[in-house]
C-alpha cells in the first residue's frame, strides 16, 4: 500500500496527560487550515480527545447514528 501524497502522516508517541496540549500544537503547526483526522486505538480515547479539543467530534460505533451523520457532514 502506498500513502497518498496529499496526506501528511505524523506519529508522535506521548503519554495520555500530554495529548491535550500536544495535539492542538501539532494541528496549528501542520494543518495549513485543512482538516485533521486523529486515529485512536480505543473508542474511549476518541471520545475523550473530542471532549478536550475545540470543534472536534468523535466517530465510532458507540455513537448514535444521528450524531455520526453530523460528524460525516463535517468531514
Amino acid at each position: 500500500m502506498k500513502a497518498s501524497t496529499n496526506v501528511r502522516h505524523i506519529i508522535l508517541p506521548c503519554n495520555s496527560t500530554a495529548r491535550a496540549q500536544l495535539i492542538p500544537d501539532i494541528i496549528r503547526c501542520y494543518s495549513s487550515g485543512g482538516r485533521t483526522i486523529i486515529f485512536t486505538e480505543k473508542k474511549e480515547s476518541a471520545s475523550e480527545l473530542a471532549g478536550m479539543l475545540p470543534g472536534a467530534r468523535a466517530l465510532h460505533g458507540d455513537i448514535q447514528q444521528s450524531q455520526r451523520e453530523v460528524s460525516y457532514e463535517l468531514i
Side-chain angles (χ1 to χ4, degrees), residues 48-59:
E48 182 180 313
L49 280 173
M52 289 184 213
L53 302 171
R57 294 190 180 262
L59 184 62

Side-chain angles (χ1 to χ4, degrees), residues 16-40:
S16 59
T17 57
R19 285 184 194 151
Q21 178 61 40
L22 183 63
I23 291 173
D25 289 345
I26 292 169
I27 292 169
R28 275 192 296 279
C29 289
Y30 296 104
S31 74
S32 302
R35 296 182 178 148
T36 302
I37 299 174
I38 301 168
F39 292 91
T40 62

Side-chain angles (χ1 to χ4, degrees), residues 2-69:
K2 186 175 180 180
S4 170
T5 57
N6 297 325
V7 176
R8 177 179 284 168
H9 298 263
I10 299 172
I11 299 171
L12 295 171
C14 68
N15 61 37
S16 59
T17 57
R19 285 184 194 151
Q21 178 61 40
L22 183 63
I23 291 173
D25 289 345
I26 292 169
I27 292 169
R28 275 192 296 279
C29 289
Y30 296 104
S31 74
S32 302
R35 296 182 178 148
T36 302
I37 299 174
I38 301 168
F39 292 91
T40 62
E41 189 173 354
K42 297 180 181 179
K43 293 182 247 186
E44 295 83 12
S45 299
S47 295
E48 182 180 313
L49 280 173
M52 289 184 213
L53 302 171
R57 294 190 180 262
L59 184 62
H60 55 70
D62 288 350
I63 295 174
Q64 293 180 4
Q65 182 63 32
S66 59
Q67 292 174 323
R68 277 187 267 168
E69 288 174 7

